[in-house]
Amino acid sequence: MSTPDFEEIAEHLTDRQLTLALQSNGWQKFGGQENLYSRWRPTSPDHEFSRGLLIPQDVETDDYLELLSQAVAQAWRMGDGKIRSILERAATLHSLGDELKFHKEVQSRKGTIPWLAGADLHAGAQKSMAVAAKTRKSKSAYFGNSNSFLANSFLDSVLMGQTEVGSYVITAYAPPEEVYSERKIRPGDTIPLVGRHTGREITLGLVDALEAARESLDHFKDSGSTHGFVENVQRGFCYELTQAMRSLIRDSEGAEIEVELNSIEELFTDAPTQRHKLEFSPSDYPALEKAGNIFAATAAAEHVTVLGTVTLLERPKPGNPGVVRLDVIGGTKARKMRVRMKVEDYDLAVDAHRNNLALRISGRQELEGHFYWLYDPEILELVRIVPDQPDTPIEPGDQQSLF
């Protein structure tokens, strides 16, 4: 076992945590001065008359970190394998945290996975963690792009660990103590007391959502009833999770998700590590597909007025109706919108694209598969987008000069 960097360990420990580690392994306190330092030694006869080690307690002193580093080094040298294991883990847990393993069972050479099956595994793992973050802000049968800021903030801080040999395993580490806000906090803003979620809360949300999915699928298999799908939306079961689970089990003999909750504080107590394991099989695929269809149907049509820039134009031949795609600036939660337009409206969209103008369009928004469509569209106005300024409608006279 290699010797760790004692200074690095001390930078991420407190004297109280080191004391807890020693106490949990049978060390005894045999002196010190309250609020300044304490002295500790193992209970074995070999150390009965040793000077033991000194643990500083006053963080305000200039040599606190130096003395704590020395205490860690002495604990390593005098302690047994259990103490050394705790100290080694402490050196890494500050940057790792809760461990999530996504395991896909496939028939392949040891340590490998078919490329597309591996891509599905990565996608399923990412979608699962995104769902866990989104469900902290609100519960919904279908999220689409809702709650994306919170999900992206969480994913941005998750680390990907090494894969494991054998059936393919992706390891992710989520920081349990880090706090994520539901909205972007600008420099100088006060972090709100509500709308804040820790990494641990998000990780536990994933466990709850997966357990809800497992219960719903089992209930459907036993009874043929889809009632459990809708009932468990309040626990995080949703369209996006069905897609994640389908990616995990597609082209496999089964999939497993294991969550191990780790934090430095828990490392120094006798409390057993919390582990959660959920298993899914190819036989779950049809039920997940059915649940996904039910959840997708809840994204009901709504009348919206959207503002967007034209980024894609397509029609079979000139003079016919065509389809345009808008990059949405506002008016709906959708980020992109497809619109099937009449001939005259399509030509106007072409001119808007050519002149870097946005369109304000009113219509009936519907979700079809992964894409939002706007039906019965009515172009209300052309809008010139100026950064950091209000949207400026183009006056009728200005339109003539543009075209």
Side-chain angles (χ1 to χ4, degrees), residues 76-382:
W76 173 271
R77 297 186 185 103
M78 299 171 62
D80 57 15
K82 187 175 181 181
I83 280 288
R84 293 184 179 186
S85 175
I86 289 175
L87 294 176
E88 276 203 326
R89 290 191 68 197
T92 57
L93 272 184
H94 71 275
S95 61
L96 296 181
D98 292 335
E99 182 180 79
L100 302 88
K101 289 187 176 183
F102 299 85
H103 171 197
K104 190 164 189 170
E105 187 75 34
V106 294
Q107 287 290 343
S108 183
R109 292 183 59 185
K110 188 175 183 180
T112 68
I113 189 172
W115 188 271
L116 295 180
D120 270 346
L121 176 58
H122 278 83
Q126 179 169 322
K127 290 175 185 175
S128 298
M129 291 186 287
V131 166
K134 288 186 175 188
T135 57
R136 288 299 306 172
K137 182 177 180 180
S138 62
K139 300 295 191 295
S140 176
Y142 188 101
F143 282 102
N145 293 319
S146 299
N147 305 358
S148 291
F149 179 80
L150 180 59
N152 291 335
S153 298
F154 175 66
L155 288 172
D156 193 46
S157 67
V158 172
L159 298 176
M160 183 182 291
Q162 293 180 327
T163 57
E164 295 185 9
V165 176
S167 294
Y168 217 74
V169 180
I170 290 177
T171 304
Y173 295 100
E177 309 301 332
E178 190 163 338
V179 176
Y180 306 92
S181 176
E182 294 177 358
R183 62 178 178 82
K184 186 175 182 179
I185 306 298
R186 294 179 173 81
D189 288 356
T190 302
I191 298 178
L193 295 178
V194 295
R196 304 167 68 233
H197 311 277
T198 66
R200 170 61 57 81
E201 289 171 337
I202 293 174
T203 300
L204 288 174
L206 174 60
V207 172
D208 194 30
L210 291 172
E211 289 177 344
R214 182 67 272 163
E215 291 174 13
S216 298
L217 298 175
D218 291 341
H219 177 70
F220 176 77
K221 287 181 178 180
D222 293 340
S223 66
S225 171
T226 61
H227 177 70
F229 298 158
V230 178
E231 188 177 57
N232 276 320
V233 167
Q234 290 306 310
R235 292 178 57 194
F237 196 31
C238 59
Y239 172 81
E240 286 75 9
L241 190 59
T242 66
Q243 301 305 294
M245 301 315 302
R246 288 168 66 182
S247 294
L248 289 174
I249 63 178
R250 187 182 296 120
D251 300 323
S252 79
E253 296 181 349
E256 178 182 279
I257 301 174
E258 184 174 357
V259 176
E260 181 176 302
L261 304 180
N262 297 308
S263 68
I264 287 183
E265 191 70 23
E266 294 160 349
L267 183 63
F268 300 105
T269 68
D270 288 327
T273 301
Q274 292 187 54
R275 291 184 176 87
H276 304 269
K277 183 184 294 187
L278 280 303
E279 297 180 356
F280 298 87
S281 70
S283 64
D284 294 320
Y285 201 93
L288 286 167
E289 195 168 30
K290 189 172 188 65
N293 291 336
I294 291 173
F295 293 146
T298 64
E302 56 180 320
H303 191 85
V304 297
T305 298
V306 302
L307 177 66
T309 56
V310 180
T311 57
L312 183 68
L313 296 140
E314 181 183 359
R315 65 176 168 182
K317 58 183 179 180
N320 282 15
V323 174
V324 305
R325 187 183 70 193
L326 301 178
D327 277 4
V328 176
I329 299 172
T332 174
K333 67 180 180 181
R335 291 184 177 180
K336 298 183 184 296
M337 181 80 69
R338 285 167 167 75
V339 189
R340 185 170 284 105
M341 292 184 165
K342 297 177 292 186
V343 174
E344 58 271 23
D345 287 341
Y346 183 88
D347 292 337
L348 189 61
V350 171
D351 290 330
H353 177 69
R354 183 182 297 126
N355 291 282
N356 296 317
L357 299 174
L359 297 176
R360 197 182 305 277
I361 307 180
S362 179
R364 188 180 78 257
Q365 173 183 288
E366 292 187 18
L367 180 68
E368 296 183 8
H370 297 292
F371 304 113
Y372 282 96
W373 286 82
L374 193 69
Y375 291 105
D376 301 326
E378 179 185 356
I379 297 180
L380 302 180
E381 58 185 355
L382 298 176

Side-chain angles (χ1 to χ4, degrees), residues 51-73:
R51 297 177 59 191
L53 59 85
L54 179 149
I55 300 181
Q57 295 177 331
D58 187 357
V59 296
E60 301 299 326
T61 58
D62 294 338
D63 58 353
Y64 173 82
L65 184 58
E66 179 184 352
L67 293 174
L68 188 59
S69 298
Q70 293 175 4
V72 170

